[in-house]
Amino acid sequence: SYTTDTKSREENKKTVENLYRLSVDIKKIRRLKEWVLLQDVAYVKEIAGILQEMGADETAVANILERCPEAILHTPAEINSQRALWQLVCQNEKQLIKLIEQFPESFFTTEYHENQKANILFFQELGLKNNIITRFLTSAPSIFYNPVEKNKNVIEALQRNYLSLGGSDANMKIWILKLLSQNPFILLNSSSAIQENLEFLQKTAFTDHEVLQLLSKLKGFIFQLTPTTMQKSMLFSKNVFKCSDQELKQLVLKCPALLYYSVPVLEERLEGLLKEGISVAQIRDTPMVLELTTQIVQYRIKKLSALGYDIKSGTLESLNGTKKDFEANYGKIQSKKERPIFNPVAPINIED
C-alpha cells in the first residue's frame, strides 16, 4: 500500500510534526528509513492511539515507531485486524504490547494477514500451545506468510516419513510438535526436499531406526541440508578420522554435527582443536567437541588449564556440552582440586 519510490523528495511536514510531538527521534528515522517520511499519507496519531489503547506508555510508543517507522503507513483498520489476530494467541493486551515492543517488524507486517490467520488456526488445531505460536510469530514470522496448504503439505510429509521409518501412531503427534517447536523453519522447506534428504540417509546405510534417531537429534536441521552437502561433510570426516563406513556411521549417530556442519566449518574447528595440542584420536573419541566454536573451545581450555587440568592428556568430555554443562563440570574439577587431601575430622582407623 506504500512505495519506496517517492516522486517528491520532500518530507511530509505533518508526519514529522506528529512524530516530533510523540518524542520520536526523527534523526534516527532519517538515517535508517527516510523514505517513510516522504510518503503523502501517514497515520501517526491513529497508530499511536491504538498502541496507547493497548497499554503502551509514551516511551514505548516512541521506541516502537523509531524501530519500525513504516508502522505509520498502515491504516488503523489493518492494525486493528492484526491486533485481533495476535490476540488469538496472546493471554492479554499487556503481553501483546510487550511483544510489539520487542518485535515491531513482525507485528506490523500486515500484507499476509489472511495467511497469518489461517496458519495460526492450523497450528492451534495441530496442538501447538499458544505460547509456542507467539514465539513463532516473533522469531520466525516468515512461516506465517506461506499459504496454509504449503505448511500442511510439509507436516503431512513429516508424518508420512515418521510412520514409514517405524515411528508409532501414538508418538507421532508429540514428535511433530517437538520438532516444530525446536525448529519452525522446517516449514520453509518443500516436502520433496525432506524426502530427498531422508532417502539419501537410507541409501547411506543408516537403518530406518537410525534415520529416525538422527531426525530427533538434529532438531529438524536435517531439512535445511542437501544430499550433496551431507555427502561432502561425511567424506571429510571419513578422511580425517581414517575410519570405515560403519565406524563413520557410529560417529555421525554420536555427533550429528558431522552431518550438519559444512566442510569449511568442520575444517576450521578441527584446526582450532589441533592448534591447542589436541590429537585427532581424542577428537574421534569425543566428536561432540566439534559442535563448539573455536572461541568457546579456547575459552574452556584456558579455564581448565588455570586449574592445572591438562586437556592434551585427559579426555575431552570436560570441554563438552552447553555453557551450563561446562560450568557444572568445571565446578566439580575445581572443588576436587581445592579439597584437602588430609581430613582432620575423619575417624582414625585403628588397624592402620
Side-chain angles (χ1 to χ4, degrees), residues 286 288-289 292 300 316-322 325-326 329:
T286 317
M288 291 79 75
V289 77
L292 306 169
R300 291 183 181 184
L316 301 185
E317 286 294 340
S318 46
L319 280 180
N320 266 348
T322 60
D325 297 335
F326 173 73
N329 271 333

Side-chain angles (χ1 to χ4, degrees), residues 64-325:
I64 291 167
L65 298 184
E66 276 166 26
R67 282 189 58 194
C68 185
E70 57 269 41
I72 63 171
L73 303 178
H74 292 290
T75 67
E78 284 173 329
I79 299 311
N80 277 322
S81 295
Q82 199 72 342
R83 175 184 177 180
L85 185 61
W86 282 48
Q87 277 173 329
L88 292 174
V89 287
C90 285
Q91 292 164 350
N92 48 43
E93 294 218 309
K94 192 181 173 186
Q95 188 201 5
L96 176 53
I97 202 68
K98 205 174 166 187
L99 287 176
I100 298 170
E101 265 188 88
Q102 289 174 293
F103 307 96
E105 291 87 356
S106 300
F107 179 78
F108 289 107
T109 302
T110 63
E111 291 87 327
Y112 306 94
H113 184 81
E114 287 311 311
N115 284 357
Q116 284 182 332
K117 188 175 183 177
N119 279 308
I120 285 174
L121 297 173
F122 167 59
F123 291 143
Q124 284 177 328
E125 276 168 33
L126 205 57
L128 276 174
K129 291 192 166 68
N130 283 344
N131 63 325
I132 303 281
I133 301 173
T134 52
R135 202 181 81 213
F136 288 179
L137 277 168
T138 52
S139 59
S142 50
I143 66 168
F144 292 87
Y145 307 159
N146 284 339
V148 72
E149 288 71 28
K150 160 126 184 13
N151 287 341
K152 277 182 180 171
N153 286 343
V154 173
I155 297 291
E156 281 163 13
L158 286 170
Q159 289 170 331
R160 268 197 315 276
N161 282 299
Y162 178 77
L163 294 173
S164 72
L165 291 167
S168 71
D169 258 322
N171 292 331
M172 184 171 69
K173 188 180 175 181
I174 296 164
W175 182 79
I176 289 277
L177 295 182
K178 194 176 176 187
L179 198 62
L180 266 181
S181 55
Q182 285 172 332
N183 183 10
F185 295 104
I186 56 174
L187 293 169
L188 299 179
N189 298 286
S190 67
S191 43
S192 57
I194 291 171
Q195 200 71 42
E196 265 176 42
N197 286 352
L198 295 179
E199 280 170 11
F200 165 77
L201 290 172
Q202 286 170 308
K203 282 175 195 163
T204 318
F206 285 98
T207 65
D208 287 356
H209 177 69
E210 287 166 344
V211 173
L212 207 50
Q213 212 179 318
L214 276 173
L215 285 188
S216 303
K217 279 191 177 179
L218 278 166
K219 299 177 181 175
F221 290 117
I222 192 168
F223 303 125
Q224 287 162 5
L225 304 172
T226 65
T228 312
T229 57
M230 287 192 279
Q231 197 163 22
K232 282 179 183 170
S233 297
M234 283 173 79
L235 193 61
F236 172 78
S237 298
K238 191 179 177 181
N239 292 335
V240 165
F241 298 122
K242 297 182 171 48
C243 56
S244 67
D245 288 344
Q246 190 53 35
E247 287 166 332
L248 175 66
K249 205 173 83 162
Q250 291 314 310
L251 281 174
V252 169
L253 287 168
K254 203 173 174 184
C255 174
L258 295 175
L259 197 66
Y260 175 63
Y261 288 120
S262 66
V263 171
V265 170
L266 290 172
E267 241 167 355
E268 185 209 337
R269 292 185 180 185
L270 194 76
E271 271 171 38
L273 289 162
L274 298 176
K275 270 182 195 164
E276 295 294 334
I278 291 164
S279 68
V280 171
Q282 279 177 296
I283 300 166
R284 183 175 164 166
D285 284 342
T286 317
M288 291 79 75
V289 77
L290 289 165
E291 290 174 1
L292 306 169
T293 65
T294 305
Q295 289 83 349
I296 291 172
V297 167
Q298 286 167 343
Y299 166 77
R300 291 183 181 184
I301 288 174
K302 207 173 172 182
K303 277 195 86 170
L304 291 168
S305 299
L307 293 179
Y309 185 90
D310 183 15
I311 202 76
K312 293 171 207 170
S313 57
T315 166
L316 301 185
E317 286 294 340
S318 46
L319 280 180
N320 266 348
T322 60
K323 188 182 178 184
K324 198 177 170 184
D325 297 335

Side-chain angles (χ1 to χ4, degrees), residues 24-55:
V24 172
D25 184 345
I26 310 285
K27 283 180 188 168
K28 193 175 176 184
I29 296 179
R30 281 191 185 120
R31 197 172 67 247
L32 301 171
K33 291 181 179 176
E34 195 198 13
W35 58 271
V36 172
L37 303 174
L38 308 177
Q39 303 300 320
D40 294 336
V41 181
Y43 302 93
V44 184
K45 285 181 185 171
E46 294 87 341
I47 302 310
I50 293 170
L51 293 170
Q52 283 159 348
E53 246 177 64
M54 283 192 261

Side-chain angles (χ1 to χ4, degrees), residues 324-340:
K324 198 177 170 184
D325 297 335
F326 173 73
E327 293 302 339
N329 271 333
Y330 176 79
K332 279 178 199 166
I333 295 167
Q334 194 175 31
S335 60
K336 208 180 264 183
K337 187 176 182 279
E338 289 167 358
R339 201 178 295 137

